[in-house]
Amino acid sequence: MLTIADIRERLSEIRLLGTKVDIVRAGFVQRIGWDGTRIEVDLIVPPVSLHATQVLEADIRRSLGALPEVQDVSVRISGGGRGEGARNPEGVLQGVRQVIAVASAKGGVGKSTVAANLALALSSEGLRVGLLDADVYGPSLPLLFGTRGPVTITVSQRLAPVSKFGLQLMSVGFFVEEEAPVIWRGPVVMSLVRQFLRDVEWRDLDILLVDLPPGTGDAPLSLLQLIPVAGAVIVTTPQQVAIADVERGIAMFQRVQAPVLGIVENMGVYRCPHCGSEEELFGEGGGEALHRKFGIPLIARIPLEAHLREASDTGEPLPVRAPHHPVVQMFRQLSHRVLERLAEVDREVLPTPRIIN
């Protein structure tokens, strides 16, 4: 006679796309019901593409439906994990399942470019993605996406994100003159950020990427204390002066108890377009050294690429201008690694599955 243990064993043969462990070990299975003819399975999964969810449901139905005595299989899949459970009790970031911070403890490492291209890569996986440019002193989102709004007001008297290239976008750059210097003291900055967090009407996002201000001072630290962050991606360049700053950035995330999903080493290699030779203009091995020291994975190495810079400068990101470019594929791989790491982090905090007869 079929038992719950038999069903659980069969489920342990199934993996969610983008993850390395089965759905039982990953902690995604929350409830198994069996009444002698019908199986019910409830799962909570991290943000994944619609395609991945459909494949998972089909795999479960096919696998369990082949068991003896089974006449019907019901599968319910919902989102959850750290992002769902960590929502601010005051209602900050309504309409957002999970928040990923993109940070750099040092300016000029290409953090905003990485954030923009990562957002597009995640969106290409079928996820609903937003990008909040929280770098109030140097907002670059308007330039990267070739838009300055306009920002409109919804019927609920909140700010409507600007839609571009399938993303929901919000930036302080939409509200200040393009050439005007932003000279604000800390309290004014945090008041503006709080308003963004509370008054933007994000529309049913799977992931919101937050492009943090550079450094480890009051602005990024206070922002992290306001946002329920599921994880962080830290951007660096290979040279030692940047690596030293990244160590302080890791300490900042440890202070607010936000897991670091991985390190992106940007501008690591330059390939000559004429002869094909490669040079590591900013040094080498920095990301690997951080991995060895802190155990945080190096999840991408993005080269110094002229086409990426040109696309960013013209407001037409490389995934839009040249979707098959090798660097675009690197960002797609980065998005896969980010989703994998989110699943790993979720697995550490998800509750023990509830088994019923």
Side-chain angles (χ1 to χ4, degrees):
M1 182 176 178
L2 187 66
T3 66
I4 291 289
D6 296 328
I7 297 171
R8 185 178 177 86
E9 183 177 356
R10 182 60 65 94
L11 289 173
S12 69
E13 300 172 356
I14 299 172
R15 292 192 308 169
L16 175 66
L17 289 177
T19 62
K20 297 180 180 179
V21 298
D22 65 78
I23 60 175
V24 174
R25 286 180 57 206
F28 299 154
V29 179
Q30 299 299 293
R31 187 182 74 91
I32 301 174
W34 168 238
D35 63 6
T37 60
R38 175 185 172 88
I39 296 175
E40 294 182 352
V41 181
D42 293 349
L43 303 98
I44 296 180
V45 301
V48 293
S49 68
L50 176 61
H51 171 67
T53 302
Q54 292 171 336
V55 170
L56 176 60
E57 182 175 350
D59 286 346
I60 293 173
R61 290 184 181 277
R62 182 173 55 254
S63 180
L64 298 185
L67 291 172
E69 307 172 48
V70 177
Q71 298 180 16
D72 186 37
V73 178
S74 171
V75 181
R76 289 188 290 266
I77 301 176
S78 60
R82 292 179 65 92
E84 194 75 20
R87 288 186 179 176
N88 189 292
E90 298 179 8
V92 172
L93 294 178
Q94 293 180 2
V96 178
R97 280 182 62 194
Q98 287 197 320
V99 178
I100 299 175
V102 181
S104 65
K106 183 176 178 59
V109 300
K111 167 182 56 68
S112 296
T113 299
V114 169
N117 284 273
L118 175 58
L120 288 165
L122 289 166
S123 178
S124 72
E125 296 296 317
L127 296 170
R128 295 180 296 274
V129 181
L131 178 58
L132 172 62
D133 182 2
D135 189 349
V136 293
Y137 293 112
S140 53
L141 185 149
L143 174 64
L144 290 169
F145 286 91
T147 180
R148 299 197 64 80
V151 176
T152 59
I153 305 298
T154 68
V155 293
S156 59
Q157 298 301 301
R158 303 176 72 197
L159 301 173
V162 174
S163 296
K164 192 72 179 285
F165 304 131
L167 302 177
Q168 297 179 38
L169 308 174
M170 184 55 65
S171 171
V172 68
F174 295 154
F175 300 93
V176 298
E177 296 181 13
E178 190 169 0
E179 302 297 330
V182 181
I183 307 174
W184 291 330
R185 295 189 180 274
V188 176
V189 170
M190 293 318 302
S191 176
L192 176 63
V193 170
R194 287 191 188 95
Q195 181 175 347
F196 270 173
L197 295 180
R198 290 185 171 88
D199 293 348
V200 177
E201 194 165 295
W202 303 105
R203 298 184 295 276
D204 195 23
L205 293 179
D206 294 311
I207 291 177
L208 175 66
L209 290 179
V210 179
D211 182 5
L212 290 177
T216 57
D218 288 341
L221 184 58
S222 299
L223 191 59
L224 287 173
Q225 292 171 334
L226 290 173
I227 299 176
V229 176
V233 173
I234 295 184
V235 182
T236 184
T237 48
Q239 70 263 46
Q240 288 303 312
V241 65
I243 298 304
D245 285 338
V246 168
E247 294 186 9
R248 288 188 284 273
I250 293 172
M252 177 179 67
F253 284 103
Q254 291 174 337
R255 177 175 174 181
V256 297
Q257 297 182 327
V260 177
L261 302 176
I263 297 166
V264 175
E265 190 179 270
N266 194 31
M267 295 184 281
V269 175
Y270 171 72
R271 175 176 293 176
C272 176
H274 305 294
C275 66
S277 64
E278 294 185 349
E279 291 188 53
E280 293 174 318
L281 300 179
F282 296 105
E284 60 180 317
E288 286 293 342
L290 288 168
H291 168 65
R292 290 192 299 270
K293 183 171 182 177
F294 294 98
I296 298 171
L298 175 62
I299 55 178
R301 295 190 75 217
I302 308 298
L304 183 63
E305 172 58 58
H307 292 104
L308 181 61
R309 191 269 307 165
E310 292 166 1
S312 299
D313 286 349
T314 59
E316 186 181 34
L318 194 60
V320 177
R321 172 182 288 191
H324 302 295
H325 193 283
V327 173
V328 174
Q329 302 309 310
M330 292 180 182
F331 279 109
R332 291 287 298 273
Q333 293 169 8
L334 171 60
S335 72
H336 297 162
R337 288 291 291 125
V338 167
L339 292 176
E340 287 176 2
R341 290 285 293 136
L342 276 176
E344 292 171 4
V345 168
D346 279 340
R347 186 169 70 249
E348 295 172 0
V349 297
L350 283 174
T352 302
R354 179 166 55 95
I355 309 299
I356 66 173
N357 288 307

